[in-house]
Structures are given as structure tokens and as C-alpha cells.
Amino acid sequence: MFNWTAKCQSVTIYEQAEKYNVKMFDMRVRFKDGIPILAHGLVEYDLIDAWCMDDFLAEYAETHPKDEFYCRVMLENTFMSKDRYPKQIKAFKDFCKVLETNAPKNLHYVGGWRKDDFTNVYQFKTQQPDMHGSHASCSKHKIVQLWPWIYAKLHNKESHKRGTDKTVLMLDFIQIGYDKH
């Protein structure tokens, strides 16, 4: 329904890691019938659940033991009624604890906030790396916030080229503007 406003990548997690050398991922979850599902705003992705994403990240990290990987985890509670908060927050804390407990040594979960006000709900052992966001939600222009791929088309080539002095450069649609050389 609103996928065009919520979808910020169009390549698989594997392609992001393998082809574009991504070392930090973003996992936004909401709980539906006790299952952690991937979500962004109003959009819920149910082709895979958050446990599948965790399985991939853990397996990938284990097969690349010399690399360090990060995954920012947020409770996607935008537009959620306040009466759902207590159950969502408890489920989120439990989920985060399992993620952190079972992660290989080179996979670090960070974040632990709820999205609507960035209140810390779960304190991960690892602090989030210093990040530079060059993506649509950082824009002051509402139109590109609605269509993140437009922002990527306008800015990614320069963002890839310029890089950042921060540990992490966050980009929507990582493949847009990417040039290996």
C-alpha cells in the first residue's frame, strides 16, 4: 500500500553485504501475534520475519569472522495506539535480549529505541557506531521523504564518492550511484 514511502532498499540483505560491502543493517520490528515482523511506518513486511533476518546476519557474520557487523534494532511503533505499547515493549525487550545473547562475537546489535520518540527501551552492550545519514528521512524536503529513491538518485553518487569521517555512512538504496572504482 505505502511501500513506495517505506522501502529504502531494493537489493537483498545478502547483496547489500556481499556486493556493496554493507557492515551495518537496520532492523525495525513490530510484534504481531507475538512474532517479530519487519516494519517501517505503516508498512509491515511479512515475506520473512525478523528471526529470518537475524539468522542471515548471524550466518553471514560467522562466515566472515574478520569483519565486524552491526545491526540497529528499533521498535517500529509509529502510528501505534498507546494501549499496545506495554505488550510491544515487553516483546521488544525479550527479542533484543535473545538477539544479543545468541549473536556471534563479530555481530553487534545496537539501538534499542522505539521509533516515535527515540526513547531507549533496551540497552544493548554495544553502543551504536557514529553515523552519518545521507538518506531521505534526513532531508528537510517532504517530497523526497515520501519517495526515498528520489533522494538516493539525487545524492547517492556524491555520498558514495565523498564518504564520511563517521564510522558508518547510511544510505537509502545503496546500489544507486555505487561505483566500485
Side-chain angles (χ1 to χ4, degrees):
M1 175 162 114
F2 293 103
N3 195 41
W4 48 272
T5 66
K7 187 175 180 181
C8 295
Q9 299 299 334
S10 58
V11 294
T12 67
I13 300 169
Y14 177 79
E15 289 171 311
Q16 289 176 49
E18 194 67 20
K19 192 172 181 181
Y20 301 103
N21 202 30
V22 170
K23 302 285 190 238
M24 183 164 180
F25 300 88
D26 196 31
M27 181 189 299
R28 294 161 188 240
V29 298
R30 169 180 308 133
F31 296 84
K32 198 173 194 176
D33 301 323
I35 305 294
I37 60 167
L38 301 173
H40 193 183
L42 292 171
V43 178
E44 296 178 346
Y45 299 94
D46 50 14
L47 289 176
I48 64 167
D49 64 30
W51 290 122
C52 292
M53 183 173 175
D54 172 56
D55 287 346
F56 168 79
L57 292 173
E59 287 174 23
Y60 195 84
E62 286 173 347
T63 61
H64 296 78
K66 293 181 181 179
D67 294 324
E68 296 293 316
F69 297 93
Y70 296 87
C71 182
R72 180 174 70 171
V73 184
M74 294 175 69
L75 176 59
E76 181 60 65
N77 62 332
T78 307
F79 308 114
M80 185 184 297
S81 62
K82 300 287 185 206
D83 63 317
R84 292 183 59 201
Y85 271 24
K87 283 185 180 177
Q88 291 284 315
I89 288 173
K90 180 180 181 338
F92 183 71
K93 287 179 181 179
D94 293 344
F95 176 70
C96 290
K97 186 175 184 175
V98 171
L99 289 177
E100 189 167 54
T101 302
N102 296 333
K105 290 184 190 306
N106 63 330
L107 174 57
H108 312 281
Y109 284 96
V110 299
W113 310 291
R114 60 181 197 211
K115 183 180 171 188
D116 65 349
D117 61 4
F118 288 89
T119 297
N120 190 267
V121 175
Y122 182 85
Q123 184 64 51
F124 284 102
K125 294 174 192 161
T126 303
Q127 293 296 316
Q128 179 171 290
D130 197 16
M131 297 188 329
H132 173 74
S134 184
H135 48 90
S137 62
C138 292
S139 171
K140 295 176 187 154
H141 305 289
K142 297 290 183 200
I143 192 73
V144 294
Q145 287 180 3
L146 287 176
W147 288 287
W149 63 268
I150 292 175
Y151 188 88
K153 279 278 210 201
L154 295 172
H155 298 280
N156 275 16
K157 187 172 186 173
E158 183 60 29
S159 294
H160 279 293
K161 192 167 124 183
R162 185 179 57 248
T164 181
D165 61 348
K166 310 285 186 194
T167 307
V168 174
L169 172 64
M170 281 188 79
L171 298 174
D172 292 337
F173 298 99
I174 187 76
Q175 78 283 5
I176 296 175
Y178 182 81
D179 182 10
K180 280 190 173 184
H181 306 331

